[in-house]
Structure formats: structure tokens, C-alpha cells
Amino acid sequence: MAVFAVHYVYAEDKIPGRDEFRPEHRAWLNSQVEAGVVLTSGPYPDGSGALILVQGDDADAVATLFADDPFKREDLLADRRIVEWVPTMGAFSS
């Protein structure tokens, strides 16, 4: 399986919705951690978005999976980018 970086970009006008759905979003992410799909996740300190590292067969499969994320489902993201990432050293390298 390949590793993908899922970049979330937050919009200022969506803050109330993200606050409302954050518990459900984090529960969904935790279920993906338990399933071995999400490797790690966290917001950027400046509040502009988040990075989620995941394992998947391809970018389309990751996009399909992430359609179930409450932040995506509720249209709470300004942008989402899914990019295959090839770690060559460290914790996530093969």
C-alpha cells in the first residue's frame, strides 16, 4: 500500500460548522487509525488546515474513503488535496 498526504484547507466562514462537527470528525479519524488506514493526523498550528497521513491503494480510493469524513460530508473544507507521498527514511519508510 502507498502512503498519501491528505491536506485540508480551512475557510474562515466554516469555523462554526467545524466546531460543531469536530467530535464526529475526530471519532471518524480514530476509527480509521484503529483500522490501520490513518497513520497520523493533526491541525496546522496557524489554524489554516490539517495534514492526515494515510495508507491506501491509490488516490481515488483515499478520496472515496474521505468522502465519509464529517468535515467533507458537511462541506466544511475550503480545499482538500490528496497526494501520494514516498517516505524514504524515518517512521513511515519501508
Side-chain angles (χ1 to χ4, degrees):
M1 262 196 228
V3 176
F4 293 84
V6 180
H7 298 271
Y8 278 2
V9 177
Y10 299 154
E12 290 295 317
D13 64 333
K14 304 288 183 160
I15 291 171
R18 283 194 312 277
D19 289 346
E20 177 183 349
F21 286 94
R22 184 167 285 111
E24 187 180 348
H25 162 72
R26 287 189 174 166
W28 180 84
L29 281 174
N30 278 320
S31 74
Q32 298 307 312
V33 169
E34 291 169 4
V37 175
V38 170
L39 301 172
T40 191
S41 174
Y44 299 126
D46 67 1
S48 65
L51 173 64
I52 308 161
L53 296 180
V54 303
Q55 295 187 90
D57 292 328
D58 56 45
D60 289 337
V62 173
T64 298
L65 173 70
F66 271 74
D68 291 334
D69 179 358
F71 277 11
K72 175 66 175 165
R73 184 192 70 220
E74 300 296 327
D75 193 32
L76 299 174
L77 303 172
D79 192 26
R80 181 189 74 183
R81 186 171 160 231
I82 299 170
V83 181
E84 187 171 356
W85 180 56
V86 182
T88 57
M89 61 187 76
F92 302 111
S93 63
S94 298

